[in-house]
């Protein structure tokens, strides 16, 4: 009824649970029904009413007015009623501890309650310290593993990493040893990995605990590269790989991740002795080698997707180590399969590599990487025989990038070839895409006047924009 019913049915049934939450959550069968309703059916207001019952019997006996706005934010409740702090915290801790001891730790409601307890604890207090010990107390590690896969649970684990001492952090990482790959793909679980990157000062510990498990330790190189490819083209899986390169970029991290990281960074100012950039560089250095090797081995597969192209750009621009083999692989594909780079994502990737850095919208310049990539020379050596096709095709902006790239050794030779083919460039700059395709296929490239007029009336772009820019540069 709850799953298939409407809001009216929901609002009739869910309130029947009020007053019985503490009893039901301890029952072996009823607890799962209660948590299913809490997690997937109840409204935020109904969830708040149900969660408040964890705070003591008075919240079950004196039922909340369901029409009034109710909060389950324990810190706010205690701030308004500080005299109730001791009984509420004791009641909440006792119920949490009962479920932990019974090893029934998979409930979303339990994770929400645990987060509320930790947030209401005073930083550095015995309450907070004992609670971290409670998290660590499960010898099988099921509690920490279950926590990582819910929104509140993942945040709690991240906060435990942030406030815990070195011994606590090492224990938490060790618990996730066999779960790292699952965490990487999970909407909430990957946040635990980001927190470890940004919080733990011992980067040797972090890199040894996470990267071998993440990439696939004790496996053949091709298997490890297959894992990296799977991460690179997965919306969530790519985050633990690219965060060290792209940081809190909006295209990479959802708002929830950025908000959590902002919270952790505020805590880090009081708990960390290492500069964030030094920590990032040390971790990035450990991760760069396998990622560069993966690009070299699987470049042709990566360039077929927008995520793969972003992965290539970020790694090649910021990785530390020898990038030549990976760059050669990209350039070789350009020679043998020009069509592989006709997507907008591939075009952006190629132009970034050719320019040797990222475009800075504030300064209107390219922030060059150090040491330089010199990809412009590698690419030109591969595509020189087909440079006119590149200049008049979907990849024309790549040729524009070659002319704009700092340190490009063959600019004069390229300009000479382009000037010899000004007529072809002019046709590409003024013809519609269908006409350009007809030219490639040996047709006369003629379309009716009415079709051209129709394209203009509809606001369609006539001609190749990149080729137009090339003609401007030729004077």
């Amino acid at each position: 009824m709850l799953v298939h019913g409407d809001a009216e049915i929901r609002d009739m049934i869910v309130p029947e649970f009020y007053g019985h939450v503490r009893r039901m959550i301890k029952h072996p069968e009823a607890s799962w029904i209660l948590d299913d309703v809490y997690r997937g059916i109840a409204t935020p207001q109904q969830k708040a009413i149900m969660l408040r019952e964890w705070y003591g019997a008075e919240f079950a006996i004196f039922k909340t007015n369901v029409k009034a706005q109710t909060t389950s934010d324990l810190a706010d409740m205690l701030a308004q009623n500080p005299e109730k702090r001791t009984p509420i915290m004791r009641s909440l801790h006792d119920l949490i501890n009962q479920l932990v001891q019974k090893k029934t730790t998979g409930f979303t409601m339990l994770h929400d309650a645990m987060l509320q307890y930790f947030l209401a604890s005073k930083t550095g207090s015995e309450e907070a310290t004992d609670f971290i010990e409670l998290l660590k107390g499960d010898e099988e590690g099921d509690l920490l593993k279950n926590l990582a896969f819910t929104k509140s649970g993942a945040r709690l684990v991240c906060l435990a990493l942030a406030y815990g001492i070195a011994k606590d952090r090492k224990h938490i990482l060790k618990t996730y040893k066999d779960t790292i790959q699952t965490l990487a793909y999970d909407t909430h679980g990957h946040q635990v990995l980001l927190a470890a990157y940004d919080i733990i000062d011992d980067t040797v510990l972090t890199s040894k605990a996470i990267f071998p498990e993440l990439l696939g330790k004790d496996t053949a190189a091709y298997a490890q590269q297959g894992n990296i490819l799977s991460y690179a083209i997965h919306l969530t899986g790519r985050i633990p790989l690219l965060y060290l390169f792209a940081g809190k970029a909006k295209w990479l991290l959802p708002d929830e991740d950025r908000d959590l990281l902002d919270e952790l960074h505020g805590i880090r100012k009081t708990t960390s002795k290492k500069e964030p950039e030094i920590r990032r560089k040390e971790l990035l250095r450990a991760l760069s080698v396998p990622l560069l090797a993966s690009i070299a081995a699987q470049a042709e597969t990566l360039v077929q997707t927008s995520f793969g192209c972003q992965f290539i750009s970020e790694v090649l621009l910021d990785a530390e180590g020898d990038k030549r083999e990976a760059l050669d692989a990209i350039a070789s594909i350009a020679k043998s399969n020009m069509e592989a780079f006709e997507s907008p994502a591939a075009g952006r990737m190629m132009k970034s590599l050719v320019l040797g850095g990222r475009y800075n919208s504030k300064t209107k310049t390219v922030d060059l990487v150090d040491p330089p990539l010199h990809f412009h020379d590698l690419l030109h050596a591969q595509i020189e025989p087909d440079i006119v096709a590149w200049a008049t095709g979907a990849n024309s902006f790549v040729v524009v990038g070659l002319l704009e790239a700092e340190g490009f050794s063959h600019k004069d030779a390229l300009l000479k070839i382009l000037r010899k083919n000004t007529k072809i460039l002019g046709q590409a700059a003024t013809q519609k895409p269908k006409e350009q395709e007809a030219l490639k296929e040996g047709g006369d490239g003629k379309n009716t006047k009415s079709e051209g007029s129709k394209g203009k009336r509809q606001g369609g772009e006539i001609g190749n924009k990149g080729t137009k820019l090339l003609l401007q540069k030729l004077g």
Side-chain angles (χ1 to χ4, degrees):
M1 291 179 65
L2 283 169
V3 173
H4 300 290
D6 56 18
E8 183 179 356
I9 292 175
R10 178 200 64 206
D11 292 341
M12 287 174 56
I13 295 177
V14 173
E16 295 300 316
F17 291 93
Y18 298 168
H20 307 289
V21 170
R22 292 180 67 90
R23 180 166 55 89
M24 291 182 69
I25 198 64
K26 292 183 284 187
H27 191 277
E29 283 82 29
S31 56
W32 293 103
I33 297 172
L34 175 66
D35 197 63
D36 284 346
V37 171
Y38 176 85
R39 182 182 66 252
I41 305 295
T43 65
Q45 174 75 353
Q46 291 167 341
K47 286 183 179 181
I49 294 172
M50 295 167 75
L51 188 59
R52 283 167 65 98
E53 293 192 27
W54 288 63
Y55 304 160
E58 67 175 285
F59 297 99
I61 296 172
F62 302 105
K63 294 186 179 180
T64 306
N65 181 358
V66 295
K67 294 184 179 180
Q69 192 64 32
T70 304
T71 181
S72 60
D73 189 316
L74 184 54
D76 284 351
M77 293 171 63
L78 295 180
Q80 295 174 15
N81 301 280
E83 73 283 357
K84 295 182 178 181
R85 177 180 181 83
T86 299
I88 287 177
M89 293 293 280
R90 183 189 302 117
S91 175
L92 178 55
H93 185 278
D94 287 348
L95 184 52
I96 290 171
N97 190 50
Q98 286 182 48
L99 296 180
V100 171
Q101 298 307 319
K102 290 169 63 177
K103 299 189 181 300
T104 52
T105 57
F107 301 131
T108 299
M109 186 183 287
L110 169 64
H111 301 173
D112 287 353
M114 293 180 77
L115 177 63
Q116 289 301 321
Y117 183 93
F118 194 75
L119 292 176
S121 301
K122 297 176 182 178
T123 303
S125 66
E126 186 176 349
E127 273 180 346
T129 303
D130 288 346
F131 198 70
I132 292 178
E133 290 301 318
L134 177 66
L135 297 179
K136 295 162 49 184
D138 182 2
E139 294 181 2
E140 289 79 18
D142 290 341
L143 174 57
L144 281 169
K145 290 176 182 177
N146 286 329
L147 284 168
F149 297 100
T150 64
K151 181 178 179 179
S152 292
R155 184 182 172 195
L156 174 59
V157 175
C158 292
L159 291 173
L161 282 170
Y163 285 115
I165 61 176
K167 185 179 179 180
D168 299 330
R169 295 167 177 173
K170 185 176 181 178
H171 179 95
I172 292 171
L173 282 186
K174 185 178 179 180
T175 300
Y176 291 116
K177 181 180 180 182
D178 300 325
T179 323
I180 297 294
Q181 292 191 358
T182 310
L183 290 175
Y185 286 110
D186 188 75
T187 305
H188 306 297
H190 73 275
Q191 296 172 344
V192 176
L193 301 181
L194 302 190
Y197 293 165
D198 277 1
I199 293 298
I200 300 175
D201 286 348
D202 186 351
T203 53
V204 174
L205 168 66
T206 306
S207 57
K208 287 185 176 180
I210 294 178
F211 297 154
E213 301 293 336
L214 182 65
L215 305 182
K217 67 175 183 179
D218 302 327
T219 59
Y222 73 88
Q224 188 177 88
Q225 291 161 5
N227 288 335
I228 293 172
L229 175 63
S230 297
Y231 292 130
I233 60 177
H234 189 276
L235 179 63
T236 303
R238 64 186 185 146
I239 295 176
L241 293 187
L242 292 182
Y243 176 65
L244 294 171
F245 296 88
K248 295 191 291 183
K250 289 185 178 180
W251 59 262
L252 179 65
L253 298 183
D255 291 342
E256 182 181 318
D257 282 15
R258 290 200 300 275
D259 291 343
L260 176 59
L261 289 170
D262 286 341
E263 180 181 16
L264 296 178
H265 293 170
I267 300 169
R268 183 177 65 184
K269 292 177 182 178
T270 62
T271 61
S272 174
K273 297 179 181 179
K274 181 173 287 188
E275 286 295 322
E277 184 61 15
I278 294 175
R279 181 190 296 103
R280 185 187 76 87
K281 285 286 188 181
E282 290 174 352
L283 292 173
L284 187 144
R285 191 176 301 119
L287 189 58
S288 290
V289 174
L291 298 193
L292 289 171
S294 182
I295 292 174
Q298 303 189 89
E300 194 157 8
T301 303
L302 286 167
V303 299
Q304 294 174 13
T305 65
S306 60
F307 282 1
C309 290
Q310 279 185 318
F311 177 80
I312 291 173
S313 296
E314 295 301 319
V315 174
L316 287 179
L317 289 177
D318 281 337
E320 295 193 9
D322 186 358
K323 306 175 185 178
R324 180 60 186 260
E325 189 176 353
L327 292 169
D328 280 341
I330 303 295
S332 297
I333 298 170
K335 179 181 180 180
S336 61
N337 186 13
M338 182 175 72
E339 289 76 14
F341 297 97
E342 290 188 350
S343 70
R348 291 191 294 270
M349 174 198 75
M350 290 294 279
K351 189 170 183 184
S352 293
L353 297 180
V354 164
L355 292 174
R358 295 183 180 83
Y359 179 73
N360 188 322
S361 58
K362 294 181 179 179
T363 62
K364 307 297 182 183
T365 59
V366 175
D367 295 332
L368 300 175
V369 298
D370 185 28
L373 295 180
H374 296 300
F375 181 69
H376 39 59
D377 289 332
L378 292 175
L379 179 64
H380 181 263
Q382 296 289 346
I383 68 172
E384 184 178 12
D386 302 311
I387 199 68
V388 176
W390 279 75
T392 57
N395 304 297
S396 56
F397 279 100
V398 175
V399 182
V400 174
L402 286 173
L403 293 179
E404 295 176 347
E406 186 174 320
F408 177 47
S409 306
H410 307 283
K411 183 175 181 179
D412 292 339
L414 176 57
L415 286 170
K416 186 177 180 179
I417 293 174
L418 294 177
R419 288 193 176 102
K420 283 184 178 180
N421 293 276
T422 303
K423 183 177 180 180
I424 297 175
L425 296 180
Q427 290 176 332
T430 56
Q431 290 173 331
K432 296 177 67 177
K434 287 184 178 179
E435 294 173 317
Q436 296 173 36
E437 191 62 34
L439 281 175
K440 289 182 182 179
E441 295 174 359
D444 59 9
K446 293 181 180 179
N447 279 316
T448 63
K449 184 176 181 181
S450 61
E451 286 178 335
S453 300
K454 183 179 178 182
K456 290 180 181 179
R457 285 198 305 271
Q458 292 177 344
E461 183 67 29
I462 304 300
N464 188 312
K465 287 184 177 181
T467 309
K468 289 179 182 179
L469 281 175
L470 289 173
L471 287 172
Q472 293 174 14
K473 290 181 179 295
L474 294 176

